[in-house]
Amino acid sequence: MTGLVIRTTGSWYKVLPLSDGGVPQAASAAVDCRLRGSYRLRGNKQTNPVAVGDHVDYSLQSDGTGVISEVADRRNYIVRKATKLSKQTHVIAANIDRLCIVVSLAPPRTTTGFIDRLLVTAEAYHVPAAILFNKADLYDADLREEYEVLKLIYQGAGYDVRLLSALDGTGVADLRRDLAGQTVLFSGHSGVGKSALLNAIAPQLNLRVGDISQWSLKGKHTTTFAEIFPVSIASSPDRDANAGTPGALYLIDTPGIKEFGMVDIEPAELSHFFPEMRRYLHGCHFANCTHRHEPHCAVKDALDRVDPDTGLPLISAGRYANYLGIFDQIASGNEPW
Ligand code: GDP
Ligand code: ZN
């Protein structure tokens, strides 16, 4: 049998059986599994052999528990260091379909620096990202205009950009439809409305709104381990009734983990994590161009060239400025963030 790991506690793993089509069954069908005694970690860089989000093969025992025999290759995963100085890493979650970055142009306003750091992290982990501009109901004409420009910039870089309001429901039905069947990690600084937005998508979550402590599925659990919450969104009248669209959202919660994952990026490779820069890298005169002060730099040239479709520069000055900021930060100590 195959299943999706939704929780890990010590040597036990909670596994949702997957149907032949790969669709997980209801949370009530979860099976408590252990790892086969002879299972060996491939390589020794990671301290945990099984993480939430893993797809596993398991067999049922007569007592109703399961034994995991195989862990499928991961499409992507996020890690943190096992201990502060360790070279080993701990896999927080695997096979993430989407990172939803919740941001707001109304107070508490999110900076593009924050957005771009998270996007670099998402690129480094190969996790597709969406930027959700929440609190749309509070945007006046100026903020609305600003949103439209940011939308063009980030869409141009290849990201999914959406306008949302947890308060008046703007964009909520579309988001719910598009997240159905996906394993999603929500991130964003406190106060931007993550809890309110999740409640709007799935009211049964009933998360506390307006709590200034760091977001997590409060009251649902007390562990500090990442966990996946299967949330039924099938009962919604807005749901797209397409056959085969599983009516569930698999919400990853990472309590106690301040930022989603840690990354260790060399300054020289940073531009690879800005998709719109990646397009021009081959045009730079120097193969090891850092796109700061080098002559004949195709990235810097693109700052001055205008996209005829949008009327905006091919690479935005704001994104480039954030590139320089992150470059300096990692060059001065290579601190993961
Ligand atoms: P979190 O810290 O990101 O989980 O943010 P919360 O969901 O707790 O929301 C923080 C505050 O913003 C609360 O007072 C919410 O009522 C408010 N809020 C959240 N979403 C919206 C929205 O779309 N519009 C407006 N006007 N307020 C919102
Ligand atoms: Zn260059």
Side-chain angles (χ1 to χ4, degrees):
M1 303 186 63
T2 63
L4 167 73
V5 178
I6 57 171
R7 182 171 186 170
T8 72
T9 42
S11 53
W12 287 97
Y13 305 93
K14 201 173 262 305
V15 175
L16 276 191
L18 295 172
S19 71
D20 287 345
V23 179
Q25 295 177 17
S28 56
V31 177
D32 288 320
C33 295
R34 286 193 207 249
L35 200 53
R36 197 177 64 199
S38 60
Y39 190 88
R40 287 282 168 267
L41 267 180
R42 279 173 249 146
N44 57 0
K45 274 194 72 184
Q46 288 155 9
T47 54
N48 54 330
V50 183
V52 300
D54 267 327
H55 282 210
V56 295
D57 288 340
Y58 68 98
S59 53
L60 273 181
Q61 310 291 100
S62 53
D63 65 359
T65 66
V67 175
I68 296 172
S69 54
E70 201 58 59
V71 181
D73 288 341
R74 294 169 179 150
R75 198 167 63 242
N76 60 32
Y77 56 89
I78 57 174
V79 300
R80 65 177 161 75
K81 281 191 172 130
T83 59
K84 213 167 176 195
L85 296 171
S86 157
K87 286 252 181 280
Q88 285 197 315
T89 52
H90 181 91
V91 178
I92 298 170
N95 301 317
I96 303 159
D97 292 313
R98 191 159 354 194
L99 167 68
C100 280
I101 307 175
V102 184
V103 308
S104 174
L105 296 178
R109 192 187 156 90
T110 310
T111 64
T112 60
F114 180 91
I115 296 173
D116 290 340
R117 277 178 168 72
L118 272 186
L119 289 177
V120 166
T121 311
E123 290 293 323
Y125 286 123
H126 310 289
V127 177
I131 311 170
L132 313 182
F133 285 85
N134 189 36
K135 305 199 180 185
D137 57 286
L138 297 177
Y139 297 2
D140 59 14
D142 285 350
L143 288 184
R144 191 59 187 248
E145 171 72 26
E146 202 182 334
Y147 163 74
E148 294 297 337
V149 172
L150 288 170
K151 177 177 164 175
L152 286 175
I153 290 170
Y154 285 104
Q155 275 186 344
Y159 297 107
D160 179 3
V161 180
R162 294 161 187 251
L163 191 63
L164 283 136
S165 168
L167 194 80
D168 71 15
T170 301
V172 169
D174 284 350
L175 183 65
R176 184 189 294 124
R177 183 195 62 220
D178 295 345
L179 294 184
Q182 298 198 347
T183 301
V184 183
L185 181 56
F186 272 73
S187 197
H189 57 66
S190 141
V192 293
K194 286 176 298 297
S195 311
L197 207 48
L198 284 167
N199 282 343
I201 296 168
Q204 73 272 28
L205 279 172
N206 202 15
L207 301 174
R208 257 183 298 167
V209 169
D211 198 319
I212 52 157
S213 65
Q214 204 215 323
W215 176 80
S216 74
L217 297 179
K218 297 170 202 105
K220 299 277 168 186
H221 62 159
T222 51
T223 118
T224 55
F225 293 106
E227 187 163 354
I228 292 179
F229 292 91
V231 175
S232 169
I233 50 179
S235 55
S236 161
D238 307 312
R239 185 183 155 249
D240 189 350
N242 282 345
T245 306
L249 160 68
Y250 303 91
L251 210 54
I252 308 173
D253 191 11
T254 55
I257 295 162
K258 264 172 93 184
E259 285 285 311
F260 115 87
M262 146 218 99
V263 270
D264 232 340
I265 294 171
E266 293 298 325
E269 62 179 352
L270 180 61
S271 56
H272 293 267
F273 302 120
F274 282 75
E276 72 274 51
M277 290 191 188
R278 214 150 56 205
R279 290 174 205 146
Y280 300 100
L281 303 179
H282 66 274
C284 294
H285 179 72
F286 296 105
N288 60 353
C289 187
T290 61
H291 327 297
R292 294 176 301 159
H293 40 65
E294 295 89 341
H296 309 297
C297 169
V299 168
K300 279 192 292 174
D301 286 349
L303 291 165
D304 300 324
R305 286 165 51 206
V306 170
D307 180 337
D309 290 337
T310 63
L312 295 172
L314 292 173
I315 292 178
S316 108
R319 287 269 289 166
Y320 179 69
N322 289 337
Y323 164 80
L324 295 178
I326 298 170
F327 189 100
D328 285 345
Q329 185 193 356
I330 57 183
S332 66
N334 209 0
E335 285 292 312
W337 62 78

